[in-house]
């Protein structure tokens, strides 16, 4: 999925371009590997560039209920050189219980 947003001409307006990519590989009926990448760039008021990468494993507990272990890397950088705060990097391991209503 991708999105483009047109900013307004006010001092707080932003223009945003983003895209998301996702991939899943089913090992068997209960096990699946997943990967995702999100990239977003905004300009205007507090413009920034954000990248999020995710790698994970999913185990289907019962029919449409799964347990996911995900490793996420997030990097946010300011686009305005005059700003010194707000840029950061984070890494984390998430455990999620997911419910899928699709067959």
């Amino acid at each position: 999925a991708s999105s483009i947003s047109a900013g307004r001409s006010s001092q707080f307006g932003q223009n945003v371009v983003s895209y998301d990519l996702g991939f899943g590989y089913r090992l068997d009926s209960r096990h699946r590997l997943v990967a995702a990448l999100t990239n977003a760039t905004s300009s205007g008021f507090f413009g920034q560039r954000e990248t999020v990468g995710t790698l994970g494993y999913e185990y289907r507990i019962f029919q449409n209920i799964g347990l996911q272990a995900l490793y996420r890397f997030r990097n946010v950088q300011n686009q305005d050189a005059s700003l010194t705060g707000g840029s950061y990097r984070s890494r984390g391991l998430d455990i999620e219980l997911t419910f899928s209503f699709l067959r």
Side-chain angles (χ1 to χ4, degrees), residues 48 50-53 72-76 88-92:
Q48 66 184 21
E50 178 179 16
T51 304
V52 180
R72 287 195 176 112
F73 170 78
R74 184 176 184 200
N75 185 30
V76 177
Y88 66 92
R89 289 186 178 178
S90 68
R91 293 180 175 91

Side-chain angles (χ1 to χ4, degrees), residues 58 61-68 96-102:
E58 178 181 282
I61 298 170
F62 177 77
Q63 292 183 355
N64 295 342
I65 300 172
L67 186 64
Q68 289 185 340
E96 297 178 357
L97 185 61
T98 62
F99 299 91
S100 174
F101 298 103
L102 303 175

